[in-house]
Amino acid sequence: MKERQILPSIDASPYNLLMTQAAPALSDSLLATARALGAVENGQSLTDALLEVQPDLRPSAQALSFYAMRHWGQAMALRRLLLDRVPQNPTVYALLGLSLLLLEVALSEPVERDPAAPTYTAHTLVDQAVQSTQGQRDTLNFKGLVNAVLRRFQRERAALLAQLAQDLEAQYNHPKWWIEALQKAYPQDWQRLLQTANVHPPLTLRVNVRATTREAVEQAFAAQGITATAFGTAGLVLEVPRPIASLPGYSQGWWSVQDAGAQFAAPLLELKDGMRVLDACAAPGGKTAHMLELAKIKLTALDIDNARMGRVEQNLERLGLLNDEVELIAESAMRAHTWWDGKPFDVVLADVPCTASGIVRRHPDIRWLRRATDLKPTAKLQREILDSLWSLVAPGGKLLLVTCSIFPEEGELQAQAFLKRHQQALRMPAPGQLLPCLADPEHPAGQDGFFYALFSRQV
Ligand SMILES: C[S@@+](CC[C@H](N)C(=O)[O-])C[C@H]1O[C@@H](n2cnc3c(N)ncnc32)[C@H](O)[C@@H]1O
């Protein structure tokens, strides 16, 4: 029989624009989630995979898949121990990983559980996982396999878990190469960084000070019983995540979703009215909007991805920041001859593409999608973009290098190599490597990992 489920809490991802609806059957949610996870195992981003889930199942599939990705090292290790061979069906293979994780939650003591874990009884879970194979033709033949694997896990749980104790991937839920890269770069901090990446992040906002004040937003939230804590100059953090479109002021453009670590970029640039500014890798426009909120600048915002550039336009429109001084161009930062009018920029923001290793707590699929071999070509692309952009900076002007990565190749090493290549570049004060952290007195909103290096072009 199909059982109605208790929906786990919805993740505070910037992608979560979804409203929670009447709970669907758990078996349907498990199958939809397994399809999304199977797509991630085949290289698709979780965001794209979730867009293919039917709308009524999406909120539960999102919550279940975010939990699963944060524990996927454990899921993969259990599958290896319990399966003699991989079933020739990616959905069933992912369903086994997902169900094993949820069954482990069901069988564990409440004090041992991740507070964000979706909890069902073991009986419900096994029954619904088996049931979920019966809804569609491609999974019909796997009922017996799912039943056998889950029941064996129930019987042999203690011995199986003991075998995971020596498995780094299962313990930290990151790929081995990633763990080793952090061990090398952060011999003191690597464990904390890996653990932070698996904690459900808060919903962090930046108030649009052109449209309103932080006090006004706090009051509007308080009127609906929503508690928000202020941080930085315009930040607000909500302890209890909510669907963002349901919060007061969303359609009026009073605020944007932006992690605390990303809110350093625009203020570092000390923007003044009338400055010529280039946002060279702008989409989806978080930092573009922040710059426009701080000063009346002449802004060229560029991104190579036409569809993502459309999101910049939508975001600026919602925030009331589009005007005649703002130019949006879908082109490569490295093809300046196609879009540049030849007048140097006072400020260039280079928020270059990166592995996104600093933002895995909000995008838990990233660690499983990246490969160790991605790092070199990504750092090379960054170097090429930076070198192209440097020639567009006016004498006395600034270039800000930003990445949302914690790998030194995309941070400090990149900045040092840039200085070596460009004699006229002078390094200015900037935060450098910001490491991801949970909320503490110094960081009320916690933060994702970012790297900032600011260069001024000597006259
Ligand atoms: C880290 S994201 C930028 C985030 C954005 N600045 C924000 O705050 O919302 C990097 C962006 O660089 C874009 N990109 C990649 N290669 C590019 C290139 N050659 N020229 C311009 N943009 C590029 C990607 O499409 C992606 O949107």
Side-chain angles (χ1 to χ4, degrees), residues 271-343:
L271 299 166
K272 307 270 181 309
D273 289 357
M275 275 185 168
R276 278 176 55 83
V277 177
L278 171 65
D279 187 355
C281 300
K287 300 181 190 74
T288 322
H290 198 185
M291 290 195 288
L292 288 166
E293 287 160 16
L294 295 184
K296 292 179 181 156
I297 53 176
K298 294 179 198 302
L299 179 82
T300 302
L302 206 74
D303 201 282
I304 198 167
D305 185 324
N306 192 30
R308 282 170 64 79
M309 208 57 212
R311 287 186 57 202
V312 178
E313 186 168 15
Q314 283 165 14
N315 282 330
L316 296 185
E317 192 141 48
R318 180 180 67 83
L319 295 163
L321 295 169
L322 277 180
N323 63 53
D324 291 348
E325 304 282 21
V326 177
E327 193 182 18
L328 305 180
I329 303 172
E331 244 303 353
S332 169
M334 293 190 283
R335 287 168 40 87
H337 63 280
T338 63
W339 50 264
W340 187 40
D341 62 7
K343 292 185 202 149

Side-chain angles (χ1 to χ4, degrees), residues 51-357:
L51 285 175
E52 287 167 23
V53 171
Q54 68 185 57
D56 60 323
L57 294 175
R58 220 176 278 156
S60 57
Q62 174 162 322
L64 290 170
S65 59
F66 270 59
Y67 178 80
M69 289 278 94
R70 290 188 182 117
H71 298 80
W72 206 239
Q74 191 184 6
M76 291 192 299
L78 287 173
R79 279 190 320 200
R80 279 195 295 273
L81 291 173
L82 285 159
L83 289 170
D84 296 330
R85 54 196 160 84
V86 174
Q88 295 305 301
N89 181 311
T91 302
V92 171
Y93 193 40
L95 177 70
L96 285 167
L98 171 67
S99 311
L100 285 165
L101 284 179
L102 298 177
L103 186 55
E104 166 49 19
V105 175
L107 297 173
S108 63
E109 294 296 327
V111 288
E112 293 168 358
R113 289 176 193 155
D114 175 344
T119 38
Y120 309 97
T121 65
H123 169 78
T124 299
L125 196 73
V126 175
D127 173 65
Q128 293 295 293
V130 170
Q131 178 75 30
S132 73
T133 60
Q134 299 305 287
Q136 291 187 25
R137 187 176 284 210
D138 66 325
T139 56
L140 271 179
N141 292 336
F142 293 94
K143 180 179 177 178
L145 176 73
V146 171
N147 190 41
V149 168
L150 295 183
R151 298 225 178 263
R152 187 175 150 209
F153 178 69
Q154 277 182 294
R155 287 194 307 274
E156 298 176 20
R157 175 177 174 255
L160 289 164
L161 293 183
Q163 290 188 64
L164 301 194
Q166 301 310 317
D167 183 325
L168 273 187
E169 280 196 2
Q171 219 180 327
Y172 291 103
N173 291 298
H174 281 73
K176 192 157 170 276
W177 70 266
W178 187 299
I179 299 171
E180 288 168 355
L182 293 192
Q183 284 173 329
K184 185 167 167 232
Y186 305 101
Q188 308 299 326
D189 274 334
W190 64 274
Q191 283 161 306
R192 180 184 68 77
L193 294 174
L194 293 167
Q195 282 153 0
T196 303
N198 285 333
V199 176
H200 195 78
L203 178 57
T204 312
L205 310 179
R206 184 195 73 244
V207 173
N208 174 4
V209 293
R210 273 215 185 267
T212 182
T213 63
R214 179 159 63 187
E215 291 67 33
V217 176
E218 282 179 289
Q219 277 169 21
F221 282 11
Q224 294 199 14
I226 301 163
T227 313
T229 307
F231 69 89
T233 50
L236 282 176
V237 57
L238 275 70
E239 259 326 299
V240 184
R242 289 167 185 258
I244 61 170
S246 72
L247 289 171
Y250 174 74
S251 53
Q252 295 95 317
W254 288 356
W255 44 263
S256 302
V257 174
Q258 191 180 44
D259 183 76
Q263 296 191 26
F264 285 91
L268 262 177
L269 296 168
E270 298 181 324
L271 299 166
K272 307 270 181 309
D273 289 357
M275 275 185 168
R276 278 176 55 83
V277 177
L278 171 65
D279 187 355
C281 300
K287 300 181 190 74
T288 322
H290 198 185
M291 290 195 288
L292 288 166
E293 287 160 16
L294 295 184
K296 292 179 181 156
I297 53 176
K298 294 179 198 302
L299 179 82
T300 302
L302 206 74
D303 201 282
I304 198 167
D305 185 324
N306 192 30
R308 282 170 64 79
M309 208 57 212
R311 287 186 57 202
V312 178
E313 186 168 15
Q314 283 165 14
N315 282 330
L316 296 185
E317 192 141 48
R318 180 180 67 83
L319 295 163
L321 295 169
L322 277 180
N323 63 53
D324 291 348
E325 304 282 21
V326 177
E327 193 182 18
L328 305 180
I329 303 172
E331 244 303 353
S332 169
M334 293 190 283
R335 287 168 40 87
H337 63 280
T338 63
W339 50 264
W340 187 40
D341 62 7
K343 292 185 202 149
F345 292 97
D346 301 307
V347 164
V348 172
L349 171 58
D351 189 4
V352 290
C354 68
T355 58
S357 61

